[in-house]
Amino acid sequence: MTTSNVPAPRGVTPDNGPRPRRMARDRETVALRLLRSAARASFDPDAELDWTAPFDKEKPFLPFERVSLYGTPFWDGLTHAQRVELSRHELASVSAAGIWLEMCLMQLFLRFLYDVDPRTAHAQFGLTEVGDETRHVVMFAKLMERLGTPVYGPPAPVRNVGRLFKALGSGPSMWAVFLVGEEIFDRMQRAAMADPLVQPLIREISRIHVVEEARHVRYARAEIERSVRGLGRTALARHRLVAAVGATATLEFMIDPEVYRCVGLEPAEGRAMALANPHHLATRHWLGSKIVPFLDELGLISGPGAALWRRAGLIR
């Protein structure tokens, strides 16, 4: 298949001039490369993972230094078993947030692709990504079942805002939310898969997700760069604010305060302790340190929304 034989996306015709045609060709080139990557490296979690293997009682479920209370006096007073238990509950919460984000992403993607010519590689990779995300949701759901914790996740008001966003989100702010969510989980999982002390099943799940999400991030980076071109001041200001609300929510609600009950803390007490913890704040900044400068270069982190990025610890 060559790009010269691929029909242009909807709305791009010879009368549009050379720049739209060049952008369409670039988009097809990226999509074709990502489709080849998907053909080489896609995974079936049921075939790749041993879901029946018992957990090692001594191994954490996240690198200890990425657990929200790590480094606090309270953490110093916990036994090793209690630290492992907190890591188990925090991973369950992170997984629930990941499922929420992936389900929003799939619905937004299908709306985005609704009017795109399905013959294009651009549309076909988008549909391939939806298939990837479907497998990821099932994989994380099975993980949550194995973890055996209470059901965690964003509170109802945040889920309702998510319903609004997935119905109306579009353009640069949509891609910004995708990228921040994907990059945050990617950084956490790269740390887990590289840590030999972490549970083997968690390391393998992280490996699968990291490999497949690398394609999704490449796709979204190319799309957000295209979508900000030619935006007027009013539209850019709107996307800055929507991006700030949506992207920071991913981090703010990644750890459900209910997880702290597993080590004898009330949720509000545990959350306050985490938000006052310099180690946790450093982790938050680290989680966004790869993607935030990229969004800043595109002009998406400024104005009133900058206060939300700062509050979330993603900028200083």
Side-chain angles (χ1 to χ4, degrees):
M1 183 177 184
T2 63
T3 56
S4 60
N5 294 326
V6 175
R10 184 185 179 95
V12 177
T13 70
D15 294 334
N16 293 135
R19 185 177 176 185
R21 288 200 301 271
R22 184 174 65 251
M23 290 172 63
R25 286 196 302 270
D26 292 346
R27 173 181 270 176
E28 287 296 287
T29 300
V30 170
L32 284 166
R33 187 163 58 245
L34 295 175
L35 280 169
R36 287 193 291 268
S37 172
R40 289 192 307 269
S42 292
F43 304 96
D44 177 358
D46 283 334
E48 295 282 334
L49 303 171
D50 183 0
W51 291 103
T52 64
F55 289 128
D56 185 331
K57 293 181 179 180
E58 297 299 314
K59 288 183 178 290
F61 293 79
L62 291 170
F64 275 154
E65 64 271 22
R66 302 305 174 192
V67 176
S68 63
L69 299 185
Y70 174 84
T72 63
F74 183 83
W75 176 269
D76 293 340
L78 294 177
T79 65
H80 180 79
Q82 288 174 314
R83 293 173 180 178
V84 168
E85 183 70 356
L86 180 57
S87 74
R88 181 168 70 95
H89 284 255
E90 289 203 4
L91 176 62
S93 179
V94 169
S95 299
I99 288 175
W100 171 64
L101 182 70
E102 303 276 36
M103 293 184 74
C104 288
L105 183 153
M106 286 189 283
Q107 293 178 69
L108 283 161
F109 249 64
L110 288 172
R111 281 202 308 104
F112 171 69
L113 296 169
Y114 189 77
D115 288 320
V116 177
D117 188 334
R119 296 171 296 176
T120 62
H122 173 61
Q124 290 168 21
F125 179 75
L127 292 168
T128 299
E129 180 167 341
V130 172
D132 290 344
E133 301 296 10
T134 301
R135 292 195 309 277
H136 295 168
V137 167
V138 174
M139 179 172 69
F140 289 125
K142 286 188 172 184
L143 172 60
M144 290 172 64
E145 184 180 7
R146 279 295 317 274
L147 291 172
T149 67
V151 177
Y152 296 121
V158 176
R159 288 184 174 275
N160 289 334
V161 171
R163 286 188 176 92
L164 181 64
F165 182 70
K166 68 193 180 188
L168 302 175
S170 63
S173 53
M174 177 185 80
W175 297 115
V177 173
F178 285 176
L179 282 166
V180 171
E182 300 289 11
E183 292 278 13
I184 282 175
F185 288 105
D186 182 78
R187 298 218 82 183
M188 185 71 81
Q189 288 170 332
R190 285 180 185 272
M193 64 185 276
D195 189 339
L197 299 179
V198 170
Q199 298 279 351
L201 176 63
I202 309 310
R203 295 179 68 197
E204 285 302 296
I205 288 173
S206 298
R207 178 185 62 83
I208 289 173
H209 198 246
V210 162
V211 170
E212 295 188 340
E213 288 298 331
R215 299 191 291 266
H216 306 174
V217 168
R218 177 68 184 89
Y219 185 87
R221 279 181 174 247
E223 286 303 313
I224 196 172
E225 287 180 319
R226 292 188 192 94
S227 66
V228 297
R229 292 172 186 162
L231 277 183
R233 292 178 62 184
T234 300
L236 182 59
R238 174 171 57 85
H239 280 290
R240 283 171 178 161
L241 185 57
V242 174
V245 173
T248 59
T250 302
L251 185 57
E252 288 287 357
F253 299 101
M254 193 163 66
I255 299 178
D256 187 329
E258 289 292 323
V259 304
Y260 300 115
R261 292 190 186 278
C262 76
V263 287
L265 289 173
E266 288 298 312
E269 183 184 9
R271 178 170 170 79
M273 193 180 296
L275 292 178
N277 179 13
H279 290 278
H280 181 55
L281 298 178
T283 288
R284 282 185 168 215
H285 188 263
W286 169 77
L287 288 171
S289 61
K290 185 177 178 183
I291 189 59
V292 168
F294 172 72
L295 297 178
D296 193 27
E297 286 179 7
L298 296 177
L300 288 168
I301 301 181
S302 61
L308 293 175
W309 293 97
R310 192 169 292 108
R311 177 183 171 183
L314 291 167
I315 63 173
R316 291 171 175 165

